[in-house]
Amino acid sequence: MRRLGVNIDHVATLRQARGGISPEPVVAAGIAELNGADQITVHLREDRRHIQDRDLEILVKTVQTRINLEMAATEEMIGIASRLRPHTVTLVPEKRQELTTEGGLNVLGQREALHKAVSRLRDAGMVVSLFIDPDLSQLRAAKHVGADAVEIHTGTYCEAFQAGNSAEVLRNVPVLRDGVLRNVPVLRGELEKIRVAAAHGRNIGLKVYAGHGLDVRNIVPILTLPEIEEFNIGHSIIARAVFIGLGPAVKEMADLIHVAP
Ligand code: PXP
């Protein structure tokens, strides 16, 4: 069964807006788990704009599924991860001014530094994933630096989906098979890049995850790609939770992911 990692950063964003104690991300993690989340994902940013060190410290003691810690490959963060030992560390690029993580890691351009960071985290017992764009040279570099997994950045695909509609993503093309003309769905554009990257990642022995910008609509074509075993989703779930509650918002996404073949 494929996994849903629920990113609870934006519960902390809301708390930080008033600098108080509510809403509590640890409670959100519990509700997410009770409603089908297979993992809790948090991004401890250098500027601590949402998740705080104390959140992570409590989460490692209370989360019953797994924790996926997104972080920059800095000395400070490697130290925190090695002390608290979440199940998975996802290395992401980080810029102070960005609203959210804007693109994948340039693994190719920093192979030596990432090789060291990945080795240290793996030696401390964590699964290491690299957040990358659907780019074959970055996938090969991720394998080269010793990563266990890659999380494919789906942000550009989600923007394309938003600009068009689901019909832009899948179209039926008549193909002659066994002497019969059949309509075969063909993936277009950004989705095709993700399909090729996911298949290549699996071929070279990487676990393949996906995330960024996914919601209940745009994830449907992505669920046709069998290589992707985990999805990390935050903003759309927390945004829907404002209207329908966190439990139902997690459950509808978990049900979608878990019933997909
Ligand atoms: N995966 C990674 C590596 C991310 O940086 C983020 C955003 O924090 C997500 C997944 C979740 O993205 P979204 O909030 O758009 O669902």
Side-chain angles (χ1 to χ4, degrees), residues 89-259:
V89 164
T90 302
L91 296 178
V92 299
E94 207 175 287
K95 291 191 216 122
R96 271 189 182 249
Q97 289 80 14
E98 68 190 358
L99 283 178
T100 179
T101 314
E102 280 169 0
L105 264 182
N106 180 5
V107 188
L108 208 53
Q110 38 180 340
R111 270 178 294 192
E112 212 170 304
L114 283 173
H115 187 269
K116 280 192 194 136
V118 170
S119 305
R120 287 172 65 190
L121 292 163
R122 292 191 79 241
D123 289 350
M126 286 159 273
V127 170
V128 181
S129 175
L130 304 183
F131 184 54
I132 58 167
D133 293 327
D135 175 316
L136 300 191
S137 56
Q138 297 293 352
L139 277 157
R140 285 191 279 271
K143 181 72 184 169
H144 181 81
V145 302
D148 300 286
V150 287
E151 180 174 328
I152 297 177
H153 186 292
T154 49
T156 311
Y157 155 78
C158 293
E159 279 166 21
F161 190 95
Q162 180 73 22
N165 57 40
S166 47
E168 292 280 321
V169 176
L170 282 174
R171 78 193 149 108
N172 284 324
V173 173
V175 172
L176 198 61
R177 276 207 188 139
D178 305 327
V180 181
L181 207 54
R182 295 175 197 277
N183 275 333
V184 176
V186 172
L187 309 179
R188 290 199 197 180
E190 295 303 324
L191 183 60
E192 176 64 6
K193 283 189 204 158
I194 295 172
R195 186 192 69 75
V196 170
H200 186 65
R202 171 72 75 82
N203 270 343
I204 61 176
L206 290 163
K207 293 176 190 299
V208 182
Y209 311 153
H212 214 284
L214 294 172
D215 63 28
V216 285
R217 290 184 187 82
N218 63 26
I219 198 171
V220 173
I222 299 271
L223 287 170
T224 63
L225 309 178
E227 295 86 0
I228 304 179
E229 57 187 83
E230 176 182 304
F231 302 88
N232 288 297
I233 306 176
H235 188 268
S236 72
I237 292 177
I238 304 304
R240 259 175 99 67
V242 171
F243 299 122
I244 67 170
L246 182 57
V250 170
K251 188 172 183 315
E252 71 180 359
M253 187 63 86
D255 287 350
L256 253 180
I257 290 172
H258 292 154
V259 299

Side-chain angles (χ1 to χ4, degrees), residues 43-49 51-54 56-57 69-86 89 91 94 96 117 120-121 126:
H43 185 172
L44 186 66
R45 294 186 77 104
E46 193 192 1
D47 62 10
R48 307 298 198 271
R49 71 173 70 157
I51 293 294
Q52 305 296 304
D53 297 60
R54 83 43 112 175
L56 185 59
E57 283 178 22
L69 172 62
E70 296 173 2
M71 60 177 225
T74 61
E75 202 48 48
E76 182 201 14
M77 289 298 158
I78 293 171
I80 291 173
S82 304
R83 183 167 59 83
L84 296 177
R85 292 210 276 151
V89 164
L91 296 178
E94 207 175 287
R96 271 189 182 249
R120 287 172 65 190
L121 292 163
M126 286 159 273

